[in-house]
Amino acid sequence: MSQRPTRIVVDLDALSHNLQVIHAHVQVPVMAIVKANAYGHGLVRVAHHLQAQGVTQFGVAFAEEALTLRRAGISLPILVLGGILGRQVGQLIQHDLEITVSSLDKLRKVEAAAERLQRKAVIHLKIDTGMERIGVHSYSCAAFIEAAVASTWCVLKGVYSHLACADDPHSPKTAQQLERFLQACAHFERIGAPMPIRHLANSGGVLHFPETWLDMVRPGIMLYGVLPDPAAYRSVDIRPALSLLSQVVYFKVVKAGSSVSYGATWAPAQDTHVVTVPIGYGDGYPRALSNRGQVLIRGQLHPIVGRLCMDQFMVDLGPHGSAYVEDDVVLIGPQGEQILTVEDVAAWADTIGYEILTRFNERIPREYVGGPNIR
Ligand SMILES: *Cc1c(COP(=O)(O)O)cnc(C)c1O
């Protein structure tokens, strides 16, 4: 057990709840997206928990993430969503990982590797309908689809695309992308080939665009109880799973005019009570919160003052505020009547919840509550 006072606590029951309400909402299978250390929640532990809760398969960004899951004993199908290079293909096939095929050239590389290994490769075709990231453009995908259908060494399991603006419930771009995707899929019918599993919806699609749910959905951030955008609709009753906690390690009185931290960017106008909290940007807590963020101590919000350091930062309790060493500090999560959300922290740091969650690094120990006792 780590003795570090700073820790991330993940509520596994919140993850189960989120998966359950997503299932009830969409009524199609769920590919749980667990890339980037399960959005900071801990890849292996989260995947084991979700595997037991009825997800249909996992999606990760990189081959390494998928291999980590396989080594940890995850047996469900895992799709590697990102673009791959030829040299990675053999390893993916050997570990039974599903491969995103995003061009004709990559299809040829996968076929060659599968033939060399005498082992079929399970693939999902990536169609670009307006993200311009990876994938074959929907307006020129006919030959690509035909080649994949004709392939001897590839098992064509899925066809998918990615939505660029689904976090905005009013964006007209989503309908356009859906239309392009369905047109691309129509080519399977045109050539008399069976339709692979069609998947398109990320969290924004799940929340805002039922037409995009198709045969499977790919929620990431909402599984963890965080909305993709502050303006997204809370159409599914998700609960945040992650809390970020620490403890006061130091208390002092700072005299009027005495500056706090590097660069002397803040000094109190009158004598005030200041505490030090042992977490900093070296943990992935954003330096942009300097003189902007807030934390909860004894049920009250208090501002971060001065520049946030690599390993610690200071909080002003005011001239009459009191706190003791070892008092709990909540950086994300509830305390008393108050709650600090990932969305709050993201707004102060001028970024998105995704970045806040995925920045937290391995220096912060993770603890798990809820769920079954054994792992
Ligand atoms: C990350 C990702 C998702 C999940 O996105 P969220 O907005 O977190 O739901 C789905 N599909 C692909 C291809 C992704 O890269």
Side-chain angles (χ1 to χ4, degrees), residues 2-17:
S2 165
Q3 299 199 332
R4 195 173 170 198
T6 299
R7 64 227 182 261
I8 281 171
V9 178
V10 175
D11 180 357
L12 295 173
D13 291 336
L15 292 179
S16 314
H17 166 85

Side-chain angles (χ1 to χ4, degrees), residues 131-274:
M131 180 79 179
E132 300 290 352
R133 193 164 65 176
I134 59 169
V136 176
H137 287 127
S138 52
Y139 47 79
S140 56
C141 66
F144 176 56
I145 288 176
E146 286 160 26
V149 165
S151 170
T152 332
W153 285 100
C154 292
V155 177
L156 184 45
K157 176 171 170 183
V159 56
Y160 77 106
S161 188
H162 192 57
L163 297 172
C165 302
D167 54 338
D168 173 2
H170 305 293
S171 173
K173 175 121 184 161
T174 300
Q176 184 191 51
Q177 286 196 267
L178 173 64
E179 189 191 317
R180 289 176 177 175
F181 184 59
L182 293 177
Q183 270 167 17
C185 292
H187 198 63
F188 288 94
E189 282 161 5
R190 216 171 289 129
I191 62 175
M195 187 66 76
I197 297 170
R198 302 163 304 161
H199 48 102
L200 180 61
N202 51 10
S203 294
V206 169
L207 290 166
H208 304 137
F209 299 98
E211 324 79 72
T212 65
W213 299 345
L214 303 173
D215 307 324
M216 189 187 279
V217 294
R218 303 192 308 267
I221 198 152
M222 70 180 298
L223 262 178
Y224 308 96
V226 176
L227 290 174
D229 185 273
Y233 296 156
R234 195 169 277 283
S235 54
V236 182
D237 173 34
I238 51 172
R239 286 187 206 145
L242 178 144
S243 301
L244 176 62
L245 310 172
S246 192
Q247 285 179 292
V248 171
V249 285
Y250 203 84
F251 174 92
K252 67 173 157 276
V253 177
V254 174
K255 292 256 188 256
S258 300
S259 69
V260 169
S261 195
Y262 292 118
T265 60
W266 182 86
Q270 51 182 318
D271 293 5
T272 191
H273 296 169
V274 169

Side-chain angles (χ1 to χ4, degrees), residues 20-28 206-208 210 213 222 235-236:
Q20 205 181 325
V21 290
I22 292 168
H23 260 146
H25 187 64
V26 299
Q27 315 252 338
V28 295
V206 169
L207 290 166
H208 304 137
W213 299 345
M222 70 180 298
S235 54
V236 182

Side-chain angles (χ1 to χ4, degrees), residues 56-73:
T56 299
Q57 76 161 88
F58 291 109
V60 294
F62 301 135
E64 288 70 19
E65 296 171 318
L67 290 169
T68 300
L69 288 177
R70 277 289 178 263
R71 279 188 211 110

